[in-house]
Amino acid sequence: MKERSVLTRKAAVIPLTMLCCLLWGSAFPCIKLGYGYSGIGSDDTASQILYAGLRFALAGVLALIMGSLTARKPLIPRRKAVPKIVMLSLFQTILQYTFFYIGLARSTGMKSSVITASNVFLSILVASLIFRTEKLTFRKILGCAVGFSGVVLINLSGIGGGFRLTGEGFVFLSALSYAFSAALIKRFSAEEDPVMLSGWQFIVGGTFMTVLGLVLGGRIGTVDLRGAAMLVYLAIVSAAAFSIWGTLLKHNPVSMISVFGFMNPVFGVILSFLLLSERSEAGPLRVVAALGLVALGIVIVNYTPKIMRREKTAL
């Protein structure tokens, strides 16, 4: 009960979700840098899948080591947890990141980071309409519409020629895969340790993607200290962020946690500019307006009238 009470308080939820979003936001430019350091071309799909597989297999090992040390026991899955791990690995790692890595290589870090913001709204829709773990209200629908309009705004220039199915389209499919994984984590963590689930699903998914990348002819063109350091950093991003995020999802509604994901594109845009010197094709004003709409959508979804807060307190 003590752990539950701490992880449901905003004083804990807000800084932890912000940390996750900062880490994920840094992944957008760092993946592109990692491609460059490792000699992987933007059209080399097989090598991109191989790179992702190595990252997530390593992330799984790191997550299990950190989780086992924290729990003071090895995080070994029970037999009935194995199907859950396989299903989670399909959506959270294999589908989400196969689409993401390929799509990111064919889009800009800024545009990809904003498109990925749609996973916030997709998560709410999937949890409400498919898994039925939450009620879909008009306020949530309105928030989804307002926030997603920001995603559309940033891609207006792409519709006329900059949009690619294997680029921006794949990034969106990655966001949809994440939405299903968030709902699955919420359901499965009711009986299983979320860090154990994250660690083992990363190992399963990462191993699958590594083998697939090798079979398709993928290779790491350049192996040096910079490339190895970037790969380790990206593995740490996944191990830490998904373990924390999964734990928060266990103790809170999907909409309450996923709504903070609007900070992913904020950090992604800022870090893409700082690390890659990327400037959006839409121009700075449209980027700011798009991010503003995304943020407004989040506020609408997360707003709780005072009378409802008083009723919850009374209960």
Side-chain angles (χ1 to χ4, degrees):
M1 288 299 293
K2 183 177 180 181
E3 180 191 17
R4 180 177 178 81
S5 64
V6 170
L7 293 177
T8 55
R9 295 174 182 170
K10 288 186 178 180
V13 170
I14 292 176
L16 288 175
T17 51
M18 288 298 101
L19 172 61
C20 291
C21 293
L22 175 61
L23 291 172
W24 280 324
S26 71
F28 294 105
C30 286
I31 288 172
K32 283 184 170 288
L33 289 173
Y35 286 166
Y37 296 156
S38 300
I40 298 175
S42 62
D43 293 323
D44 191 352
T45 302
S47 296
Q48 292 161 13
I49 293 174
L50 171 61
Y51 189 86
L54 293 172
R55 171 193 173 185
F56 295 122
L58 178 57
V61 173
L62 294 176
L64 291 176
I65 290 175
M66 291 187 294
S68 297
L69 291 175
T70 301
R72 297 182 180 179
K73 64 178 181 180
L75 297 181
I76 305 298
R78 298 175 296 175
R79 180 176 299 180
K80 69 176 185 178
V82 174
K84 301 175 184 177
I85 291 171
V86 173
M87 184 178 295
L88 190 58
S89 70
L90 176 64
F91 286 97
Q92 186 169 316
T93 299
I94 298 173
L95 291 178
Q96 179 183 179
Y97 284 101
T98 296
F99 284 131
F100 181 75
Y101 268 68
I102 297 174
L104 180 62
R106 293 161 175 79
S107 181
T108 65
M110 283 187 176
K111 188 179 291 186
S112 296
S113 66
V114 178
I115 294 174
T116 301
S118 65
N119 64 24
V120 173
F121 314 109
L122 292 171
S123 296
I124 295 173
L125 293 175
V126 169
S128 303
L129 300 179
I130 298 179
F131 286 82
R132 303 296 180 94
T133 56
E134 298 187 24
K135 185 178 180 180
L136 184 62
T137 63
F138 173 76
R139 176 169 50 81
K140 290 181 180 180
I141 295 174
L142 177 61
C144 288
V146 172
F148 194 71
S149 66
V151 178
V152 174
L153 180 62
I154 199 67
N155 279 287
L156 285 179
S157 60
I159 294 175
F163 179 86
R164 298 177 64 180
L165 176 61
T166 56
E168 291 81 9
F170 273 20
V171 175
F172 179 79
L173 290 176
S174 171
L176 182 60
S177 298
Y178 166 82
F180 277 89
S181 73
L184 289 173
I185 291 174
K186 177 66 177 178
R187 173 174 290 183
F188 295 159
S189 63
E191 296 181 353
E192 309 292 344
D193 186 318
V195 179
M196 182 277 292
L197 289 173
S198 291
W200 283 104
Q201 72 83 19
F202 271 140
I203 290 178
V204 172
T207 300
F208 176 87
M209 294 178 72
T210 298
V211 173
L212 177 61
L214 290 172
V215 169
L216 293 176
R219 63 186 180 86
I220 304 299
T222 303
V223 179
D224 58 20
L225 183 59
R226 290 190 309 169
M230 186 60 71
L231 186 63
V232 171
Y233 171 74
L234 289 169
I236 293 173
V237 166
S238 295
F242 273 104
S243 294
I244 295 171
W245 200 261
T247 302
L248 292 172
L249 283 173
K250 177 177 181 177
H251 297 288
N252 299 278
V254 172
S255 59
M256 177 183 175
I257 299 304
S258 295
V259 78
F260 287 94
F262 85 93
M263 287 304 300
N264 287 347
V266 174
F267 287 129
V269 166
I270 294 172
L271 293 173
S272 290
F273 174 75
L274 294 176
L275 299 178
L276 303 177
S277 297
E278 282 190 356
R279 288 176 172 79
S280 173
E281 298 173 2
L285 292 180
R286 191 185 294 176
V287 171
V288 172
L291 292 175
L293 286 170
V294 171
L296 178 59
I298 296 302
V299 171
I300 294 173
V301 170
N302 205 35
Y303 175 71
T304 302
K306 290 183 178 180
I307 186 171
M308 292 181 65
R309 290 198 293 267
R310 287 198 297 268
E311 290 175 354
K312 287 182 180 181
T313 303
L315 291 175

